[in-house]
Amino acid sequence: MHIRNILATLSLLIALPVAAAPADDFLAALQPLCGKAFEGTITTNEGGAANDPFVGKRLVMHVRECKTGEVRIPLHVGEDRSRTWIVTRTTTGLRLKHDHRHADGTEDKLTQYGGDTIALGTAARQDFPADAFSKTLFADNKLPPGAQQNVWGLEQGQGTFTYELSRPGRVVRMVFDLTKPVAAPPAPWGHE
């Protein structure tokens, strides 16, 4: 009798739908944005340099490529088409990488940095602490020591998409208006 109860319980559990992980929900929420571009503004820029290349420039994110388990989002800063955010599904969550290119398509010396989520996050927000590769890259290229403590955040909801970089002494937040698509910009450098 006891074994029948266990088997009955197991059959019920197997029949229950499995809830999607927050990482899957986060990626799924990006799918309707595929092919669309959106203008943004810097809403927070604490600890930024006086010659910050983002200040005073038009910011446009373009959700350019969407495939199963990966979304590529070029960020255009004025006429600069060097940056692409790559969000990839991993076995434990999500990975964010920054692909930086020169106008001729070659990789910048500071490229492919980012990190993996270490917490579940939510369908609306995911955080990516700097991974070992990024910490080494930053140290080798003599970036400020705080850069090794970078945490990038991506957040979506209520008609906005937010990209955030935070570390001790530095916080920058860009917010993009998803309610007003703009014309898609040219391809990012190296991906024409």
Side-chain angles (χ1 to χ4, degrees):
M1 192 77 160
H2 181 65
I3 292 176
R4 283 189 187 152
N5 289 342
I6 292 172
L7 291 174
T9 302
L10 284 175
S11 67
L12 286 174
L13 289 175
I14 292 169
L16 290 174
V18 176
D24 295 322
D25 295 339
F26 188 88
L27 278 179
L30 288 173
Q31 294 300 316
L33 305 178
C34 277
K36 298 177 184 174
F38 307 94
E39 194 164 348
T41 58
I42 296 175
T43 61
T44 304
N45 192 11
E46 298 170 8
N51 60 347
D52 189 319
F54 289 81
V55 173
K57 301 279 176 62
R58 183 175 187 237
L59 304 176
V60 176
M61 65 174 265
H62 181 201
V63 186
R64 187 169 189 265
E65 295 178 46
C66 300
K67 57 185 177 182
T68 303
E70 183 178 281
V71 176
R72 291 177 176 255
I73 307 170
L75 171 66
H76 297 257
V77 180
E79 299 301 314
D80 184 335
R81 299 185 279 147
S82 66
R83 299 166 180 86
T84 300
W85 303 321
I86 304 169
V87 182
T88 308
R89 182 67 164 103
T90 67
T91 57
T92 59
L94 294 174
R95 174 173 294 139
L96 172 66
K97 288 291 182 171
H98 297 74
D99 182 352
H100 285 249
R101 307 265 173 166
H102 295 285
D104 66 2
T106 59
E107 285 192 336
D108 189 88
K109 66 180 180 178
L110 289 172
T111 191
Q112 302 308 322
Y113 61 85
D116 292 358
T117 54
I118 57 172
L120 286 178
T122 68
R125 182 168 174 104
Q126 296 286 321
D127 291 308
F128 309 86
D131 58 21
F133 171 83
S134 302
K135 291 176 181 181
T136 300
L137 181 70
F138 296 161
D140 289 350
N141 286 279
K142 300 182 181 11
L143 267 66
Q148 294 180 6
Q149 298 176 52
N150 280 359
V151 176
W152 297 274
L154 299 178
E155 188 172 330
Q156 53 189 335
Q158 300 181 1
T160 63
F161 182 90
T162 302
Y163 170 92
E164 177 184 277
L165 162 70
S166 62
R167 65 175 179 243
R170 179 83 172 114
V171 177
V172 63
R173 188 174 295 116
M174 294 178 245
V175 178
F176 297 84
D177 185 349
L178 302 180
T179 67
K180 298 177 185 171
V182 298
W189 294 335
H191 299 280
E192 288 85 1

